[in-house]
Amino acid sequence: MLTVPQIESLRRTNPQLYEALKRLAEASLGPNQGWSLDDQITDGSLFARVTSGALTSGKVDPAKSGVLMKGSVPPTWSGAFTYVSTTATITWSWTGLTISRADGSTTAIPDGSLAISGLTAASTYYFYPYYDDAALAIGWVAGGAGSPANALAAKTNAAAQQQGLQSRIPLSQGAIVAATTSSGTGGGSGGGSGSCLRAGTMVLTKERGTVEIETCAVGEHLRCPATMRANAATGAPDIAAAAMGGTAEGWTRIIRHEVCDEHTFIRLHFSNADTLDVTPHHIFTLADGSPMRAERLCLSDILVGRFGRVTLLRIETIIEAGRKVTVSCAPYQQFFAGRHAASVLTHNYTFSS
């Protein structure tokens, strides 16, 4: 039996003989009864056949069933990175990271942490985490400051390319950002740009009325539905009444507030003529009470508005320099916000550090 390498060698070195043998094989048993020089062969050590079910016009088609989907289509992931910092250290922690692949399989990444020391006080650093499918472990692009040298002084295309090499699955949309403090300790979130609202978003405060969220301070109160009752096990609120609109309203207190640089936002346009710019992992509550990250929202999704339900009409990805605001509230973990007014119910960020 001929092998693929033998066939390919013959095709290259003597195409005339190859064509003659091919025609002879096809006609050897009469019309439509011969054997095929291309099909009735065995795989070799260097070359192998590709099933016709994987081809479109002679080219391998990732959309066909004959292609192994794992690795042929970029996977997605969910989970969160948080960090704690001092004047000279940044410690990243990750929890609940799960990679979802195109073939329907998932990979759960064990919770863990990475401590980087030897950094400069009051400085911003950029990190590029990825999952190494060969080593079966999280890795970080090297070549920066600190020990280990994973803290880069700037965002670079080269680092993003290293993060996305073959067998590596990027665990962020571009760099995740962390900063050392000028004194004391600090912290924040990252990975998929965190769960934050863009600076300039309007919220309604008890103390000062409608203001930009970055001007708020710990101790101030944000407008939320009075019917919000946090579930002790999940932290998810009871919004059945709030989804109908017209309910009494209450206040939730800001217990943590941070502002830092960001460059990736998702802009959501709603049926109430308002918009929101949020980071991809920012969480909303759908009208049926289920939580949903901004990056997974779909057109016509129905969310909770301050004066009734609102429908998502348009979704944009915005890549530009900006600032994100991370807020944590208690006792209720949701509040109203919007580009023009506090009009759409949105989740706060629950710090785990």
Side-chain angles (χ1 to χ4, degrees), residues 209-236:
T210 300
V211 297
E212 294 179 331
I213 192 170
E214 66 270 26
T215 68
C216 293
V218 172
E220 289 189 306
H221 296 78
L222 301 179
R223 177 63 86 187
C224 71
T227 53
M228 306 295 274
R229 297 186 297 274
N231 182 290
T234 66

Side-chain angles (χ1 to χ4, degrees), residues 17-97:
L17 178 58
Y18 166 82
E19 289 297 330
L21 288 174
K22 182 177 179 180
R23 294 176 185 177
L24 178 63
E26 292 172 347
S28 62
L29 296 177
N32 302 319
Q33 297 182 39
W35 59 279
S36 171
L37 191 63
D38 290 327
D39 296 334
Q40 292 170 296
I41 57 177
T42 59
D43 296 337
S45 59
L46 299 177
F47 300 91
R49 295 161 296 174
V50 175
T51 176
S52 59
L55 304 177
T56 297
S57 301
K59 298 181 180 180
V60 174
D61 186 346
K64 293 294 186 68
S65 60
V67 177
L68 180 64
M69 294 304 291
K70 180 178 179 179
S72 61
V73 177
T76 59
W77 65 276
S78 61
F81 287 91
T82 59
Y83 74 89
V84 175
S85 62
T86 67
T87 56
T89 66
I90 292 174
T91 300
W92 284 105
S93 299
W94 52 91
T95 57
L97 293 181

Side-chain angles (χ1 to χ4, degrees), residues 111-296:
D111 298 347
S113 62
L114 173 73
I116 303 100
S117 59
L119 302 175
T120 302
S123 298
T124 299
Y125 294 97
Y126 302 87
F127 300 83
Y128 292 84
Y130 59 85
Y131 182 74
D132 191 321
D133 241 349
L136 303 179
I138 282 186
W140 301 73
V141 173
S147 177
N150 300 128
L152 280 67
K155 293 177 285 188
T156 66
N157 290 333
Q161 290 167 349
Q162 287 294 313
Q163 185 188 32
L165 291 177
Q166 188 172 8
S167 82
R168 292 180 177 180
I169 300 173
L171 295 179
S172 64
Q173 297 178 331
I176 57 177
V177 186
T180 53
T181 61
S182 56
S183 62
T185 61
S189 64
S193 302
S195 179
C196 314
L197 296 163
R198 187 173 187 174
T201 298
M202 308 305 292
V203 294
L204 178 59
T205 65
K206 182 178 181 181
E207 292 78 10
R208 297 182 294 131
T210 300
V211 297
E212 294 179 331
I213 192 170
E214 66 270 26
T215 68
C216 293
V218 172
E220 289 189 306
H221 296 78
L222 301 179
R223 177 63 86 187
C224 71
T227 53
M228 306 295 274
R229 297 186 297 274
N231 182 290
T234 66
D238 177 3
I239 65 159
M244 299 304 296
T247 61
E249 295 180 330
W251 302 99
T252 186
R253 183 176 181 271
I254 298 175
I255 60 174
R256 194 162 177 178
H257 181 279
E258 295 179 356
V259 182
C260 59
D261 294 336
E262 183 52 61
H263 66 285
T264 303
F265 299 94
I266 292 180
R267 180 168 295 166
L268 305 172
H269 298 255
F270 300 101
S271 58
N272 64 354
D274 211 344
T275 65
L276 267 177
D277 283 10
V278 300
T279 51
H281 277 196
H282 189 78
I283 297 174
F284 289 88
T285 300
L286 300 182
D288 64 2
S290 59
M292 188 67 64
R293 293 182 186 274
E295 64 186 354
R296 299 186 183 277

